[in-house]
Amino acid sequence: MASPVQPLPNTEPPSSSTPPDSENLQPRFGWLPPVGTWKYHLLLSAVALFILGPLGGIAASYMNFSVGFFVGGQVLAGILGSAVTYGYGAEGKHGANYMQTMAASVASLCAMSVLIQAMVWLGMEMPPAWHLMLFVGCVGMFAVGVGMLYTPLLVDRLQLDYPSGFAVANILRALTDKRLLKASISKLGGGTLLGAIAAWMTEKIAVVAAIGTSAATLGAGMIVGSRITIPAVLMAVIGAWQVPHLREIGWLGPEDPFRKIGFLIGLAMICGAAVVDLSLLAVQAVARVKAQADAPKDEEPAWKKVNLPRLLAWVLGWGAATLVVGTAVLGQPLGWLLFGLGLALLFVLINGISYGITDQNPISSAFVISIMMMSLLGLKNPLVALMAATILLISTSVGCDMQQDRSTGWRLGTNRVIQFRYQVMGVIMGALLCVGLARVFMTAYPALAINQLDNPNAEVGQWGSAMTYKLVGAIRDLGSLSDTKVKAMLLGLGLGFGIQALRKVLHANQGYQRYIKGSRAGFAVGWTMDSLLLASPYASSFGGFVAFPVALWFGAGGVIASVWNTVTKKRAPASASSPGQGEALPEDMSTMSLVGGGLIAGESLFFLIAGLIGLASLLA
């Protein structure tokens, strides 16, 4: 497995991939509109906006209100979207991708309905619904622009895995390409069934739930491999080992787990490593600008091309609109809103790296970091902090989702500009539903309005609201940032920067590269350095974000994939082609990628369907 900031081999879509929207392709069924026509896009938009998007959005909002996390619904949207576009054959994967992109945007914003619950918990006087819709919509538009702005770096340049992007791309291709369907459906379907069964067991069997079983986490580990997962396990093990000492020195309370301080260290490690990478990439960017005049005009595939000046104007324009609405309509201070926009630019990148490697988008951790930074700068008003941090929370959710969707499009060769337009329409619908769903839920179920921090013994039934609990709990610390948290962040920054700098120096050494590629002993040394002695800070940080069992499941997935790949390596030439075909399958359609993607899909579908059933039973 390659280092998370090194290009992955042989994963670039074929240069001959042509976006279907540039051709008037005839569908298999006469009633379907031709690809690329306005009727074609109207069909896709109607299905995504009025069926797939609200379906995922309602489930995401319900799950955040109840269990405190949500499933975006890309997998379900991809499957249902493929059913709509099946008549277009293999090219139907692009249309299905457009629909899942739009539906995921709706779900991402609907999940942010917990921000309105947080306002109620803090005693904020609620503004008119249309004021909130306008503000959420402006932030969402800003976020999709920032997400697209970072796409060339994270998706094209760093080529991060985005495990769920793997899963969705595999599903879309398998459901629309007969060759890939024949070669992969049993692996993908088997993984999906196992994922759903594991999720059901987690819900129904106490012993399984007690050990932190997570099929999706195991699947993500199978996709990224042991060089990414073992560092996460190592950090979790070190953290668990140090818990008694951390409690003794006051960094943790008597009953606190390592993750309560570990997530600060992990986020700071990502920041420190990102400083190194961005500095090097800035130098490379200057060289690319100088060489751009000599580059062939058709060097970049048409489906990748984005008008950069227009994109920058989009980001600046919607950033300005956010400030206008925030100050003139909601009455918030300009300076703190600007601070929120600045943090969004930083954390969409940082969280995007984490999402691309581990399939985890630590949005609540980024929220907590932003609150601590505002506290350090002297902000005392919790309501102002919430509005400024709302910009960050929505941006990291929508912007990182944008990057994951672009990773799916990168594997399929889907037109980015058109995908961007679909995402924008999804944001508009999501902004409307986000506020609307929050009002509906909180009116129908008064328990959601109870501040559980102030009323820990309140009877709230299934409405645990863990996400809101974390957000409000962080804001209540405003103005009282402890030395412990500052020291933890500085420790993480130093570790991330130092380790990543050493990794860059080592990997740039040609002699070292020849050695680790020249023999089995060299391979073992390279694995040891990348996984244990000088592990990627991006990968290690995951061990600080999650509970100890989750880190172990993630690590187990990577070990399973690495062992499988090692054992089957000698048979790879014979199995790389589909039966009866001489054409090799794409690398991201390997057995481990398919089974791992299936595990993610199975668990996602189970919780999405369970969320919808739960909501229906409550409303009945």
Side-chain angles (χ1 to χ4, degrees), residues 214-573:
S214 174
T217 304
L218 182 72
M222 292 169 68
I223 290 173
V224 300
S226 61
R227 296 193 190 213
I228 301 300
T229 65
I230 293 300
V233 174
L234 182 61
M235 182 167 180
V237 169
I238 292 174
W241 171 48
Q242 287 296 308
V243 162
H245 176 65
L246 294 174
R247 290 173 177 170
E248 182 180 341
I249 64 176
W251 281 34
L252 292 174
E255 303 297 328
D256 290 338
F258 170 67
R259 65 185 296 201
K260 189 163 185 178
I261 197 71
F263 84 90
L264 289 176
I265 299 173
L267 275 177
M269 287 175 67
I270 293 175
C271 291
V275 169
V276 176
D277 284 328
L278 290 176
S279 299
L280 294 175
L281 289 169
V283 174
Q284 295 170 5
V286 171
R288 289 185 64 186
V289 169
K290 291 180 179 179
Q292 190 172 9
D294 300 326
K297 291 184 179 180
D298 59 348
E299 183 179 35
E300 187 177 47
W303 61 268
K304 270 189 178 183
K305 291 182 178 178
V306 175
N307 189 311
L308 184 57
R310 288 185 182 179
L311 183 58
L312 290 172
W314 177 281
V315 172
L316 292 174
W318 284 107
T322 299
L323 296 177
V324 170
V325 173
T327 54
V329 178
L330 296 177
Q332 298 300 309
L334 176 64
W336 292 112
L337 294 179
L338 276 169
F339 186 71
L341 289 173
L343 286 181
L345 290 171
L346 174 64
F347 277 98
V348 170
L349 175 63
I350 293 172
N351 281 35
I353 293 172
S354 175
Y355 204 12
I357 294 174
T358 68
D359 207 37
Q360 297 289 322
N361 183 4
I363 56 177
S364 57
S365 298
F367 182 93
V368 172
I369 291 287
S370 72
I371 294 299
M372 290 193 300
M373 294 178 70
M374 286 186 269
S375 179
L376 282 172
L377 294 173
L379 180 61
K380 305 293 183 181
N381 189 326
L383 300 181
V384 172
L386 178 61
M387 294 305 295
T390 291
I391 298 175
L392 171 65
L393 199 64
I394 293 175
S395 295
T396 50
S397 178
V398 175
C400 293
D401 178 67
M402 151 74 78
Q403 293 159 11
Q404 176 179 281
D405 289 337
R406 289 312 84 78
S407 77
T408 301
W410 179 81
R411 292 180 171 94
L412 301 177
T414 301
N415 187 294
R416 279 184 180 166
V417 173
I418 297 177
Q419 203 174 3
F420 180 86
R421 293 169 184 167
Y422 273 80
Q423 191 130 23
V424 166
M425 289 189 287
V427 165
I428 295 172
M429 176 62 82
L432 299 176
L433 286 178
C434 171
V435 179
L437 288 172
R439 294 293 178 92
V440 168
F441 273 110
M442 298 188 72
T443 301
Y445 307 103
L448 288 171
I450 298 175
N451 186 333
Q452 296 176 32
L453 288 163
D454 294 333
N455 302 279
N457 297 318
E459 294 292 335
V460 295
Q462 76 278 6
W463 303 111
S465 302
M467 175 70 79
T468 309
Y469 192 96
K470 287 187 288 185
L471 303 183
V472 175
I475 289 178
R476 286 159 64 101
D477 287 338
L478 198 68
S480 58
L481 187 62
S482 66
D483 290 340
T484 295
K485 293 179 178 178
V486 175
K487 290 177 181 177
M489 293 173 65
L490 291 176
L491 172 64
L493 281 170
L495 287 173
F497 183 91
I499 292 173
Q500 190 68 359
L502 290 173
R503 283 172 56 85
K504 290 295 183 182
V505 172
L506 182 64
H507 289 165
N509 186 287
Q510 296 298 320
Y512 174 76
Q513 291 296 328
R514 285 193 298 271
Y515 174 69
I516 63 175
K517 295 175 182 178
S519 65
R520 291 184 179 180
F523 175 84
V525 169
W527 185 92
T528 302
M529 294 298 295
D530 285 343
S531 304
L532 299 173
L533 301 182
L534 210 58
S536 165
Y538 302 124
S540 299
S541 65
F542 184 66
F545 293 144
V546 298
F548 189 70
V550 177
L552 294 182
W553 283 106
F554 187 60
V559 171
I560 290 171
S562 293
V563 170
W564 174 272
N565 292 334
T566 299
V567 171
T568 60
K569 186 176 181 180
K570 293 183 179 180
R571 298 197 301 268

Side-chain angles (χ1 to χ4, degrees), residues 108-130:
S108 292
L109 271 181
C110 286
M112 296 299 101
S113 55
V114 293
L115 290 167
I116 297 173
Q117 184 185 24
M119 295 176 189
V120 173
W121 282 24
L122 290 168
M124 178 179 179
E125 183 177 351
M126 296 301 294
W130 74 269

Side-chain angles (χ1 to χ4, degrees), residues 127-294:
W130 74 269
H131 288 185
L132 291 173
M133 291 175 181
L134 190 60
F135 183 71
V136 170
C138 288
V139 177
M141 294 295 191
F142 170 78
V144 295
V146 175
M148 180 66 91
L149 198 62
Y150 292 148
T151 291
L153 170 64
L154 301 183
V155 176
D156 298 337
R157 173 64 181 169
L158 299 185
Q159 296 185 14
L160 302 182
D161 285 311
Y162 288 95
S164 287
F166 259 122
V168 175
N170 286 341
I171 288 169
L172 297 184
R173 287 188 294 201
L175 291 176
T176 56
D177 187 310
K178 288 185 178 180
R179 181 180 66 91
L180 298 180
L181 180 63
K182 184 177 180 181
S184 64
I185 194 64
S186 60
K187 300 170 186 175
L188 182 64
T192 301
L193 179 61
L194 288 174
I197 292 173
W200 177 84
M201 292 175 65
T202 302
E203 286 285 291
K204 301 297 182 181
I205 303 175
V207 175
V208 177
I211 61 175
T213 305
S214 174
T217 304
L218 182 72
M222 292 169 68
I223 290 173
V224 300
S226 61
R227 296 193 190 213
I228 301 300
T229 65
I230 293 300
V233 174
L234 182 61
M235 182 167 180
V237 169
I238 292 174
W241 171 48
Q242 287 296 308
V243 162
H245 176 65
L246 294 174
R247 290 173 177 170
E248 182 180 341
I249 64 176
W251 281 34
L252 292 174
E255 303 297 328
D256 290 338
F258 170 67
R259 65 185 296 201
K260 189 163 185 178
I261 197 71
F263 84 90
L264 289 176
I265 299 173
L267 275 177
M269 287 175 67
I270 293 175
C271 291
V275 169
V276 176
D277 284 328
L278 290 176
S279 299
L280 294 175
L281 289 169
V283 174
Q284 295 170 5
V286 171
R288 289 185 64 186
V289 169
K290 291 180 179 179
Q292 190 172 9
D294 300 326

